[in-house]
Amino acid sequence: MARGDRYRHGTLAALQLARADLLAHPRRIAYLGITLAATVAAWLILATMANAFLAADSAQATDAGVEVANARSAQQMLPLRYAQRIAALAGVRDLVWLDLTLVSCADGSTITINAIDGSGSTRAARADGFAAEDVARWQNDPLGVLVDADVARDCGWQLGMGVSPLDTLGQQPLPLHVSGIAAPADKEAKGGTALAHHAYINRNSRIAGKDHVIRFTVSAQDANAQEALAARIEAEFAQDDPPVTAYPDTVAENARARFGKVQSLLMLVAVALFIGCALALASVMAHAAAQRRPQLALLRVLGFPRRALLLGFALELTVVVLIGALLGTLTGRLALGFMPDTLRVMFNLSQPANWAWRPLSLALLGLLAIALVAPTLITLRVRPTDTQR
């Protein structure tokens, strides 16, 4: 028989062996699949929670940043032109500047609209609980406004609606487009979040004044270096008129001190889960290969090459790993969607962290290799006399 024919027949034999073993042991397949699914789901959840504490992640929402205001008086505003110089400083990741206005709804309630812009405005809107598609729609609409469910209910606004509430300061209608509606983070607390664009609101601003801002919020590249960044900002404008005062957000600082290296703890838990999963896979497959030893010996006597027997084990395990990975991914996504709102906002649990997929793929390949160790050793050592066992 030619080499090509031997390889083809060996591959077909491996496929038949894998198929026969999968059908003959459904309970074992179910056990291993559930074990893998639980591990994958736990990894996606833990990685997403750890993602909120990784300073390198551009989407983290745990850092409220460095507040920059007028050093002479908090009631005096800062010129918008300062933004370019702040953004150029070392250690700055992004910044957001703020103005605001007040509008009256049809029911007589007064709503504060925060007018923001800057390189961090998308991140700030996402941190307030608005969906990515709503934020993208808002960014593409100069008249767009993002509101929470309480504002939408009080004002009678719906998604996509064009509204013109009365600007209580200017006593003129303020045309707006409702780009997105989000539920408050805490359902027991009354909301009131409304975000519009600074460039639009600031044209006729009665609070900050045209081309001025109430304050800047600067996000540091290293969340633990906020004090140094604040000092750098103050030094940059020490000779300007007006000078600035910069101070780190104490709530965020206290949270970091309280939580510490939470991401390290979460990753240790994830590693422990994968180790437990690896032990389960290795022990079950070692027992299965030992039970199958007489069958493997008989197949060797019938002329089946060892590589076909090994390929049969590999195909069987690959199917199990794929089933577990798919079920785990689905379970993890569903679990993130059912998390309490408080946790979802704190850890930004909207979807699995983007960086989590590559380590997961490598870990699954590692689990596959570990589980194949015992079957490989038994297959390489099997002898024709083992048929009598």
Side-chain angles (χ1 to χ4, degrees):
M1 183 181 296
R3 173 176 290 186
D5 292 336
R6 289 201 302 271
Y7 278 124
R8 185 170 61 256
H9 287 293
T11 301
L12 291 175
L15 288 171
Q16 291 297 326
L17 289 173
R19 178 177 176 274
D21 290 328
L22 288 171
L23 294 177
H25 303 93
R27 292 183 179 180
R28 185 177 70 213
I29 303 306
Y31 169 74
L32 294 179
I34 292 173
T35 302
L36 278 163
T39 303
V40 170
W43 162 255
L44 292 177
I45 295 171
L46 291 172
T48 305
M49 294 177 69
N51 189 57
F53 294 91
L54 297 176
D57 191 317
S58 61
Q60 71 170 349
T62 59
D63 178 15
V66 176
E67 302 291 341
V68 181
N70 193 309
R72 295 196 180 116
S73 171
Q75 306 304 317
Q76 298 180 15
M77 307 307 165
L78 290 174
L80 180 57
R81 66 175 185 273
Y82 280 13
Q84 187 174 0
R85 290 168 60 187
I86 295 175
L89 292 176
V92 173
R93 182 178 64 178
D94 58 44
L95 74 158
V96 178
W97 51 86
L98 171 72
D99 193 0
L100 58 85
T101 191
L102 303 175
V103 298
S104 296
C105 295
D107 67 347
S109 60
T110 300
I111 303 299
T112 300
I113 295 183
N114 293 318
I116 65 171
D117 269 321
S119 56
S121 57
T122 296
R123 181 177 58 81
R126 294 284 286 121
D128 280 340
F130 293 100
E133 57 270 21
D134 291 342
V135 175
R137 192 183 306 114
W138 172 68
Q139 288 285 27
N140 292 325
D141 187 351
L143 276 64
V145 62
L146 296 169
V147 298
D148 66 20
D150 287 336
V151 173
R153 182 188 64 249
D154 293 343
C155 296
W157 295 350
Q158 296 180 6
L159 182 63
M161 178 184 290
V163 297
S164 296
L166 179 67
D167 185 337
T168 58
L169 300 177
Q171 292 299 308
Q172 295 290 331
L174 181 66
L176 296 168
H177 300 155
V178 182
S179 300
I181 299 175
D186 184 356
K187 292 185 180 299
E188 296 181 357
K190 180 166 177 64
T193 302
L195 299 178
H197 293 287
H198 179 275
Y200 177 56
I201 301 298
N202 188 248
R203 298 172 308 153
N204 302 306
S205 175
R206 284 337 200 244
I207 296 181
K210 183 173 173 58
D211 295 329
H212 283 71
V213 303
I214 296 174
R215 67 173 180 268
F216 294 98
T217 301
V218 185
S219 178
Q221 292 177 354
D222 182 357
N224 296 313
Q226 288 193 23
E227 292 282 359
L229 178 58
R232 200 174 300 126
I233 293 172
E234 289 185 349
E236 171 69 19
F237 296 95
Q239 305 302 320
D240 285 81
D241 184 22
V244 305
T245 179
Y247 48 93
D249 176 70
T250 55
V251 175
E253 292 286 347
N254 292 337
R256 276 190 294 275
R258 183 168 62 253
F259 285 113
K261 296 293 184 180
V262 168
Q263 68 271 25
S264 301
L265 177 61
L266 293 173
M267 290 301 98
L268 284 175
V269 174
V271 170
L273 287 172
F274 276 106
I275 292 175
C277 183
L279 292 174
L281 282 174
S283 61
V284 169
M285 291 308 299
H287 179 70
Q291 282 189 326
R292 209 178 300 172
R293 190 164 192 152
Q295 179 187 2
L296 297 175
L298 178 61
L299 293 173
R300 287 290 293 143
V301 171
L302 294 175
F304 286 88
R306 295 183 192 273
R307 62 176 174 272
L309 304 182
L310 288 174
L311 183 58
F313 279 112
L315 292 174
E316 178 183 352
L317 270 172
T318 300
V319 171
V320 172
V321 169
L322 289 176
I323 292 174
L326 291 174
L327 289 177
T329 299
L330 178 61
T331 303
R333 287 183 175 276
L334 289 175
L336 288 174
F338 283 101
M339 287 285 184
D341 289 339
T342 303
L343 289 178
R344 294 184 67 183
V345 173
M346 180 183 297
F347 296 102
N348 192 25
L349 302 181
S350 56
Q351 59 184 356
N354 292 331
W355 59 266
W357 300 106
R358 185 174 181 181
L360 176 60
S361 301
L362 295 175
L364 291 177
L365 290 176
L367 291 176
L368 182 62
I370 292 171
L372 280 173
V373 170
T376 299
L377 294 176
I378 291 175
T379 302
L380 292 177
R381 295 174 182 175
V382 72
R383 296 291 181 267
T385 54
D386 291 331
T387 57
Q388 300 175 0
R389 293 192 178 189

mmCIF file of all heavy atoms in Angstrom, residues 83-128:
data_model
loop_
_atom_site.group_PDB
_atom_site.id
_atom_site.type_symbol
_atom_site.label_atom_id
_atom_site.label_comp_id
_atom_site.label_asym_id
_atom_site.label_seq_id
_atom_site.Cartn_x
_atom_site.Cartn_y
_atom_site.Cartn_z
ATOM 1 N N ALA A 83 -7.193 73.100 26.857
ATOM 2 C CA ALA A 83 -7.334 71.661 26.589
ATOM 3 C C ALA A 83 -6.158 71.114 25.795
ATOM 4 O O ALA A 83 -5.640 70.033 26.094
ATOM 5 C CB ALA A 83 -8.643 71.398 25.842
ATOM 6 N N GLN A 84 -5.712 71.857 24.779
ATOM 7 C CA GLN A 84 -4.629 71.370 23.926
ATOM 8 C C GLN A 84 -3.337 71.205 24.713
ATOM 9 O O GLN A 84 -2.609 70.212 24.531
ATOM 10 C CB GLN A 84 -4.421 72.332 22.750
ATOM 11 C CG GLN A 84 -3.427 71.839 21.720
ATOM 12 C CD GLN A 84 -3.372 72.749 20.501
ATOM 13 O OE1 GLN A 84 -4.080 73.754 20.438
ATOM 14 N NE2 GLN A 84 -2.547 72.378 19.539
ATOM 15 N N ARG A 85 -3.047 72.115 25.609
ATOM 16 C CA ARG A 85 -1.819 72.027 26.392
ATOM 17 C C ARG A 85 -1.899 70.900 27.427
ATOM 18 O O ARG A 85 -0.910 70.221 27.701
ATOM 19 C CB ARG A 85 -1.542 73.368 27.067
ATOM 20 C CG ARG A 85 -1.144 74.455 26.082
ATOM 21 C CD ARG A 85 -1.154 75.825 26.720
ATOM 22 N NE ARG A 85 -0.219 75.932 27.850
ATOM 23 C CZ ARG A 85 -0.145 76.990 28.654
ATOM 24 N NH1 ARG A 85 -0.965 78.032 28.450
ATOM 25 N NH2 ARG A 85 0.734 77.017 29.637
ATOM 26 N N ILE A 86 -3.062 70.710 28.015
ATOM 27 C CA ILE A 86 -3.218 69.604 28.968
ATOM 28 C C ILE A 86 -3.037 68.266 28.268
ATOM 29 O O ILE A 86 -2.349 67.372 28.771
ATOM 30 C CB ILE A 86 -4.596 69.681 29.658
ATOM 31 C CG1 ILE A 86 -4.698 70.939 30.519
ATOM 32 C CG2 ILE A 86 -4.842 68.434 30.508
ATOM 33 C CD1 ILE A 86 -6.066 71.160 31.128
ATOM 34 N N ALA A 87 -3.650 68.128 27.110
ATOM 35 C CA ALA A 87 -3.569 66.861 26.383
ATOM 36 C C ALA A 87 -2.135 66.523 25.987
ATOM 37 O O ALA A 87 -1.790 65.345 25.839
ATOM 38 C CB ALA A 87 -4.453 66.912 25.146
ATOM 39 N N ALA A 88 -1.282 67.535 25.808
ATOM 40 C CA ALA A 88 0.099 67.308 25.376
ATOM 41 C C ALA A 88 1.017 66.921 26.524
ATOM 42 O O ALA A 88 2.172 66.527 26.287
ATOM 43 C CB ALA A 88 0.636 68.559 24.680
ATOM 44 N N LEU A 89 0.564 67.000 27.777
ATOM 45 C CA LEU A 89 1.419 66.684 28.915
ATOM 46 C C LEU A 89 1.679 65.183 29.009
ATOM 47 O O LEU A 89 0.826 64.355 28.647
ATOM 48 C CB LEU A 89 0.759 67.168 30.217
ATOM 49 C CG LEU A 89 0.644 68.683 30.393
ATOM 50 C CD1 LEU A 89 -0.122 68.999 31.670
ATOM 51 C CD2 LEU A 89 2.017 69.330 30.420
ATOM 52 N N ALA A 90 2.846 64.833 29.512
ATOM 53 C CA ALA A 90 3.200 63.423 29.688
ATOM 54 C C ALA A 90 2.296 62.788 30.738
ATOM 55 O O ALA A 90 1.999 63.400 31.777
ATOM 56 C CB ALA A 90 4.657 63.307 30.119
ATOM 57 N N GLY A 91 1.860 61.577 30.481
ATOM 58 C CA GLY A 91 1.033 60.841 31.428
ATOM 59 C C GLY A 91 -0.460 61.016 31.266
ATOM 60 O O GLY A 91 -1.242 60.416 32.006
ATOM 61 N N VAL A 92 -0.879 61.850 30.304
ATOM 62 C CA VAL A 92 -2.317 62.072 30.078
ATOM 63 C C VAL A 92 -2.844 61.035 29.091
ATOM 64 O O VAL A 92 -2.298 60.877 27.996
ATOM 65 C CB VAL A 92 -2.584 63.494 29.542
ATOM 66 C CG1 VAL A 92 -4.053 63.647 29.148
ATOM 67 C CG2 VAL A 92 -2.199 64.529 30.593
ATOM 68 N N ARG A 93 -3.887 60.346 29.482
ATOM 69 C CA ARG A 93 -4.520 59.387 28.567
ATOM 70 C C ARG A 93 -5.593 60.078 27.740
ATOM 71 O O ARG A 93 -5.609 59.966 26.518
ATOM 72 C CB ARG A 93 -5.138 58.228 29.359
ATOM 73 C CG ARG A 93 -5.780 57.166 28.463
ATOM 74 C CD ARG A 93 -6.344 56.021 29.258
ATOM 75 N NE ARG A 93 -7.444 56.443 30.115
ATOM 76 C CZ ARG A 93 -8.131 55.607 30.888
ATOM 77 N NH1 ARG A 93 -7.788 54.330 30.930
ATOM 78 N NH2 ARG A 93 -9.120 56.047 31.633
ATOM 79 N N ASP A 94 -6.495 60.775 28.379
ATOM 80 C CA ASP A 94 -7.517 61.550 27.679
ATOM 81 C C ASP A 94 -8.086 62.574 28.645
ATOM 82 O O ASP A 94 -7.750 62.590 29.842
ATOM 83 C CB ASP A 94 -8.626 60.653 27.099
ATOM 84 C CG ASP A 94 -9.311 59.807 28.152
ATOM 85 O OD1 ASP A 94 -9.629 60.352 29.230
ATOM 86 O OD2 ASP A 94 -9.540 58.610 27.925
ATOM 87 N N LEU A 95 -8.914 63.455 28.137
ATOM 88 C CA LEU A 95 -9.536 64.453 29.001
ATOM 89 C C LEU A 95 -10.940 64.779 28.514
ATOM 90 O O LEU A 95 -11.272 64.560 27.346
ATOM 91 C CB LEU A 95 -8.695 65.721 29.090
ATOM 92 C CG LEU A 95 -8.662 66.671 27.885
ATOM 93 C CD1 LEU A 95 -8.265 68.069 28.332
ATOM 94 C CD2 LEU A 95 -7.643 66.176 26.849
ATOM 95 N N VAL A 96 -11.735 65.307 29.436
ATOM 96 C CA VAL A 96 -13.117 65.701 29.166
ATOM 97 C C VAL A 96 -13.318 67.082 29.769
ATOM 98 O O VAL A 96 -12.826 67.361 30.868
ATOM 99 C CB VAL A 96 -14.113 64.706 29.800
ATOM 100 C CG1 VAL A 96 -15.550 65.158 29.562
ATOM 101 C CG2 VAL A 96 -13.893 63.305 29.262
ATOM 102 N N TRP A 97 -14.011 67.962 29.026
ATOM 103 C CA TRP A 97 -14.350 69.263 29.606
ATOM 104 C C TRP A 97 -15.860 69.416 29.675
ATOM 105 O O TRP A 97 -16.603 68.772 28.935
ATOM 106 C CB TRP A 97 -13.703 70.406 28.841
ATOM 107 C CG TRP A 97 -13.892 70.408 27.349
ATOM 108 C CD1 TRP A 97 -14.929 70.924 26.633
ATOM 109 C CD2 TRP A 97 -12.979 69.874 26.386
ATOM 110 N NE1 TRP A 97 -14.732 70.764 25.299
ATOM 111 C CE2 TRP A 97 -13.530 70.114 25.093
ATOM 112 C CE3 TRP A 97 -11.744 69.224 26.464
ATOM 113 C CZ2 TRP A 97 -12.903 69.738 23.921
ATOM 114 C CZ3 TRP A 97 -11.113 68.835 25.295
ATOM 115 C CH2 TRP A 97 -11.699 69.095 24.036
ATOM 116 N N LEU A 98 -16.287 70.294 30.605
ATOM 117 C CA LEU A 98 -17.700 70.329 30.996
ATOM 118 C C LEU A 98 -18.278 71.735 30.972
ATOM 119 O O LEU A 98 -17.634 72.698 31.381
ATOM 120 C CB LEU A 98 -17.835 69.759 32.416
ATOM 121 C CG LEU A 98 -19.204 69.901 33.099
ATOM 122 C CD1 LEU A 98 -20.215 68.949 32.462
ATOM 123 C CD2 LEU A 98 -19.081 69.629 34.588
ATOM 124 N N ASP A 99 -19.478 71.840 30.477
ATOM 125 C CA ASP A 99 -20.361 72.979 30.674
ATOM 126 C C ASP A 99 -21.716 72.377 31.020
ATOM 127 O O ASP A 99 -21.877 71.143 30.992
ATOM 128 C CB ASP A 99 -20.442 73.840 29.403
ATOM 129 C CG ASP A 99 -21.093 75.205 29.654
ATOM 130 O OD1 ASP A 99 -21.486 75.476 30.803
ATOM 131 O OD2 ASP A 99 -21.209 75.981 28.690
ATOM 132 N N LEU A 100 -22.688 73.186 31.370
ATOM 133 C CA LEU A 100 -24.013 72.634 31.644
ATOM 134 C C LEU A 100 -25.078 73.691 31.395
ATOM 135 O O LEU A 100 -24.794 74.886 31.309
ATOM 136 C CB LEU A 100 -24.108 72.085 33.067
ATOM 137 C CG LEU A 100 -23.825 73.002 34.248
ATOM 138 C CD1 LEU A 100 -25.065 73.800 34.645
ATOM 139 C CD2 LEU A 100 -23.350 72.187 35.429
ATOM 140 N N THR A 101 -26.287 73.212 31.280
ATOM 141 C CA THR A 101 -27.441 74.094 31.158
ATOM 142 C C THR A 101 -28.625 73.430 31.820
ATOM 143 O O THR A 101 -28.593 72.217 32.131
ATOM 144 C CB THR A 101 -27.744 74.432 29.689
ATOM 145 O OG1 THR A 101 -28.701 75.489 29.626
ATOM 146 C CG2 THR A 101 -28.294 73.217 28.946
ATOM 147 N N LEU A 102 -29.685 74.186 32.042
ATOM 148 C CA LEU A 102 -30.893 73.668 32.663
ATOM 149 C C LEU A 102 -32.052 73.795 31.680
ATOM 150 O O LEU A 102 -32.207 74.823 31.016
ATOM 151 C CB LEU A 102 -31.226 74.452 33.935
ATOM 152 C CG LEU A 102 -30.136 74.502 35.008
ATOM 153 C CD1 LEU A 102 -30.565 75.409 36.155
ATOM 154 C CD2 LEU A 102 -29.823 73.114 35.524
ATOM 155 N N VAL A 103 -32.859 72.742 31.593
ATOM 156 C CA VAL A 103 -34.022 72.772 30.717
ATOM 157 C C VAL A 103 -35.250 72.353 31.501
ATOM 158 O O VAL A 103 -35.168 71.594 32.481
ATOM 159 C CB VAL A 103 -33.842 71.850 29.487
ATOM 160 C CG1 VAL A 103 -32.660 72.302 28.642
ATOM 161 C CG2 VAL A 103 -33.671 70.394 29.916
ATOM 162 N N SER A 104 -36.403 72.850 31.076
ATOM 163 C CA SER A 104 -37.681 72.511 31.712
ATOM 164 C C SER A 104 -38.446 71.555 30.810
ATOM 165 O O SER A 104 -38.575 71.794 29.598
ATOM 166 C CB SER A 104 -38.514 73.778 31.950
ATOM 167 O OG SER A 104 -37.860 74.640 32.853
ATOM 168 N N CYS A 105 -38.934 70.492 31.407
ATOM 169 C CA CYS A 105 -39.727 69.523 30.661
ATOM 170 C C CYS A 105 -41.206 69.895 30.712
ATOM 171 O O CYS A 105 -41.616 70.818 31.433
ATOM 172 C CB CYS A 105 -39.523 68.124 31.220
ATOM 173 S SG CYS A 105 -37.838 67.525 31.009
ATOM 174 N N ALA A 106 -41.996 69.165 29.965
ATOM 175 C CA ALA A 106 -43.420 69.473 29.860
ATOM 176 C C ALA A 106 -44.132 69.354 31.197
ATOM 177 O O ALA A 106 -45.115 70.051 31.459
ATOM 178 C CB ALA A 106 -44.068 68.545 28.830
ATOM 179 N N ASP A 107 -43.649 68.462 32.091
ATOM 180 C CA ASP A 107 -44.302 68.283 33.387
ATOM 181 C C ASP A 107 -43.854 69.314 34.407
ATOM 182 O O ASP A 107 -44.258 69.266 35.569
ATOM 183 C CB ASP A 107 -44.052 66.874 33.919
ATOM 184 C CG ASP A 107 -42.583 66.637 34.269
ATOM 185 O OD1 ASP A 107 -41.741 67.465 33.872
ATOM 186 O OD2 ASP A 107 -42.287 65.632 34.939
ATOM 187 N N GLY A 108 -42.983 70.246 33.992
ATOM 188 C CA GLY A 108 -42.516 71.289 34.889
ATOM 189 C C GLY A 108 -41.224 70.978 35.599
ATOM 190 O O GLY A 108 -40.665 71.848 36.280
ATOM 191 N N SER A 109 -40.716 69.737 35.488
ATOM 192 C CA SER A 109 -39.463 69.378 36.145
ATOM 193 C C SER A 109 -38.288 70.024 35.424
ATOM 194 O O SER A 109 -38.326 70.257 34.216
ATOM 195 C CB SER A 109 -39.299 67.860 36.177
ATOM 196 O OG SER A 109 -39.274 67.333 34.868
ATOM 197 N N THR A 110 -37.231 70.311 36.183
ATOM 198 C CA THR A 110 -36.018 70.910 35.636
ATOM 199 C C THR A 110 -34.911 69.862 35.561
ATOM 200 O O THR A 110 -34.637 69.169 36.551
ATOM 201 C CB THR A 110 -35.549 72.091 36.507
ATOM 202 O OG1 THR A 110 -36.585 73.079 36.546
ATOM 203 C CG2 THR A 110 -34.285 72.712 35.943
ATOM 204 N N ILE A 111 -34.300 69.755 34.392
ATOM 205 C CA ILE A 111 -33.262 68.765 34.145
ATOM 206 C C ILE A 111 -31.935 69.471 33.898
ATOM 207 O O ILE A 111 -31.875 70.446 33.149
ATOM 208 C CB ILE A 111 -33.618 67.881 32.939
ATOM 209 C CG1 ILE A 111 -34.965 67.192 33.151
ATOM 210 C CG2 ILE A 111 -32.520 66.853 32.685
ATOM 211 C CD1 ILE A 111 -35.021 66.278 34.337
ATOM 212 N N THR A 112 -30.879 68.986 34.545
ATOM 213 C CA THR A 112 -29.534 69.490 34.287
ATOM 214 C C THR A 112 -28.906 68.686 33.157
ATOM 215 O O THR A 112 -28.825 67.460 33.235
ATOM 216 C CB THR A 112 -28.648 69.373 35.538
ATOM 217 O OG1 THR A 112 -29.228 70.133 36.597
ATOM 218 C CG2 THR A 112 -27.242 69.889 35.246
ATOM 219 N N ILE A 113 -28.493 69.364 32.111
ATOM 220 C CA ILE A 113 -27.822 68.711 30.985
ATOM 221 C C ILE A 113 -26.335 69.014 31.076
ATOM 222 O O ILE A 113 -25.919 70.178 31.017
ATOM 223 C CB ILE A 113 -28.386 69.192 29.640
ATOM 224 C CG1 ILE A 113 -29.845 68.768 29.492
ATOM 225 C CG2 ILE A 113 -27.556 68.636 28.485
ATOM 226 C CD1 ILE A 113 -30.467 69.142 28.168
ATOM 227 N N ASN A 114 -25.543 67.993 31.253
ATOM 228 C CA ASN A 114 -24.094 68.129 31.263
ATOM 229 C C ASN A 114 -23.594 68.120 29.821
ATOM 230 O O ASN A 114 -23.824 67.148 29.093
ATOM 231 C CB ASN A 114 -23.447 66.995 32.045
ATOM 232 C CG ASN A 114 -23.781 67.054 33.518
ATOM 233 O OD1 ASN A 114 -23.784 68.129 34.107
ATOM 234 N ND2 ASN A 114 -24.070 65.913 34.114
ATOM 235 N N ALA A 115 -22.921 69.173 29.439
ATOM 236 C CA ALA A 115 -22.394 69.291 28.078
ATOM 237 C C ALA A 115 -20.908 68.951 28.122
ATOM 238 O O ALA A 115 -20.117 69.686 28.721
ATOM 239 C CB ALA A 115 -22.608 70.698 27.537
ATOM 240 N N ILE A 116 -20.524 67.829 27.520
ATOM 241 C CA ILE A 116 -19.139 67.378 27.577
ATOM 242 C C ILE A 116 -18.584 67.209 26.174
ATOM 243 O O ILE A 116 -19.324 67.025 25.199
ATOM 244 C CB ILE A 116 -19.006 66.057 28.361
ATOM 245 C CG1 ILE A 116 -19.730 64.907 27.620
ATOM 246 C CG2 ILE A 116 -19.546 66.191 29.770
ATOM 247 C CD1 ILE A 116 -19.460 63.542 28.223
ATOM 248 N N ASP A 117 -17.280 67.278 26.080
ATOM 249 C CA ASP A 117 -16.549 66.959 24.858
ATOM 250 C C ASP A 117 -15.135 66.586 25.272
ATOM 251 O O ASP A 117 -14.795 66.627 26.458
ATOM 252 C CB ASP A 117 -16.538 68.141 23.878
ATOM 253 C CG ASP A 117 -17.712 68.106 22.900
ATOM 254 O OD1 ASP A 117 -18.047 66.993 22.445
ATOM 255 O OD2 ASP A 117 -18.297 69.162 22.628
ATOM 256 N N GLY A 118 -14.332 66.236 24.290
ATOM 257 C CA GLY A 118 -12.964 65.857 24.572
ATOM 258 C C GLY A 118 -12.690 64.426 24.190
ATOM 259 O O GLY A 118 -13.606 63.648 23.884
ATOM 260 N N SER A 119 -11.419 64.051 24.229
ATOM 261 C CA SER A 119 -11.011 62.715 23.787
ATOM 262 C C SER A 119 -11.562 61.609 24.681
ATOM 263 O O SER A 119 -11.603 60.451 24.274
ATOM 264 C CB SER A 119 -9.486 62.627 23.734
ATOM 265 O OG SER A 119 -8.919 62.974 25.001
ATOM 266 N N GLY A 120 -11.959 61.936 25.904
ATOM 267 C CA GLY A 120 -12.501 60.920 26.808
ATOM 268 C C GLY A 120 -14.012 60.933 26.928
ATOM 269 O O GLY A 120 -14.567 60.254 27.794
ATOM 270 N N SER A 121 -14.693 61.685 26.046
ATOM 271 C CA SER A 121 -16.148 61.807 26.188
ATOM 272 C C SER A 121 -16.865 60.484 25.932
ATOM 273 O O SER A 121 -17.862 60.178 26.594
ATOM 274 C CB SER A 121 -16.677 62.895 25.248
ATOM 275 O OG SER A 121 -16.340 62.625 23.905
ATOM 276 N N THR A 122 -16.373 59.703 24.983
ATOM 277 C CA THR A 122 -16.996 58.398 24.727
ATOM 278 C C THR A 122 -16.856 57.494 25.937
ATOM 279 O O THR A 122 -17.811 56.827 26.352
ATOM 280 C CB THR A 122 -16.355 57.735 23.501
ATOM 281 O OG1 THR A 122 -16.621 58.526 22.340
ATOM 282 C CG2 THR A 122 -16.901 56.327 23.286
ATOM 283 N N ARG A 123 -15.667 57.457 26.532
ATOM 284 C CA ARG A 123 -15.442 56.642 27.724
ATOM 285 C C ARG A 123 -16.322 57.114 28.879
ATOM 286 O O ARG A 123 -16.895 56.307 29.622
ATOM 287 C CB ARG A 123 -13.968 56.698 28.122
ATOM 288 C CG ARG A 123 -13.619 55.852 29.336
ATOM 289 C CD ARG A 123 -12.120 55.916 29.618
ATOM 290 N NE ARG A 123 -11.681 57.279 29.843
ATOM 291 C CZ ARG A 123 -11.805 57.927 31.001
ATOM 292 N NH1 ARG A 123 -12.392 57.330 32.026
ATOM 293 N NH2 ARG A 123 -11.372 59.154 31.138
ATOM 294 N N ALA A 124 -16.446 58.439 29.023
ATOM 295 C CA ALA A 124 -17.279 58.970 30.101
ATOM 296 C C ALA A 124 -18.742 58.588 29.918
ATOM 297 O O ALA A 124 -19.432 58.229 30.884
ATOM 298 C CB ALA A 124 -17.132 60.490 30.159
ATOM 299 N N ALA A 125 -19.224 58.649 28.675
ATOM 300 C CA ALA A 125 -20.614 58.267 28.411
ATOM 301 C C ALA A 125 -20.843 56.789 28.676
ATOM 302 O O ALA A 125 -21.873 56.396 29.242
ATOM 303 C CB ALA A 125 -20.988 58.617 26.973
ATOM 304 N N ARG A 126 -19.875 55.945 28.293
ATOM 305 C CA ARG A 126 -20.008 54.510 28.552
ATOM 306 C C ARG A 126 -19.977 54.231 30.052
ATOM 307 O O ARG A 126 -20.687 53.358 30.557
ATOM 308 C CB ARG A 126 -18.873 53.753 27.858
ATOM 309 C CG ARG A 126 -18.922 53.805 26.343
ATOM 310 C CD ARG A 126 -19.991 52.886 25.761
ATOM 311 N NE ARG A 126 -19.586 51.503 25.858
ATOM 312 C CZ ARG A 126 -20.245 50.554 26.495
ATOM 313 N NH1 ARG A 126 -21.380 50.851 27.106
ATOM 314 N NH2 ARG A 126 -19.822 49.317 26.529
ATOM 315 N N ALA A 127 -19.141 54.999 30.798
ATOM 316 C CA ALA A 127 -19.071 54.819 32.247
ATOM 317 C C ALA A 127 -20.381 55.190 32.923
ATOM 318 O O ALA A 127 -20.688 54.684 34.003
ATOM 319 C CB ALA A 127 -17.933 55.651 32.823
ATOM 320 N N ASP A 128 -21.170 56.058 32.305
ATOM 321 C CA ASP A 128 -22.475 56.436 32.845
ATOM 322 C C ASP A 128 -23.558 55.406 32.523
ATOM 323 O O ASP A 128 -24.729 55.609 32.856
ATOM 324 C CB ASP A 128 -22.907 57.803 32.307
ATOM 325 C CG ASP A 128 -22.230 58.942 33.050
ATOM 326 O OD1 ASP A 128 -21.751 58.716 34.178
ATOM 327 O OD2 ASP A 128 -22.168 60.062 32.516
#
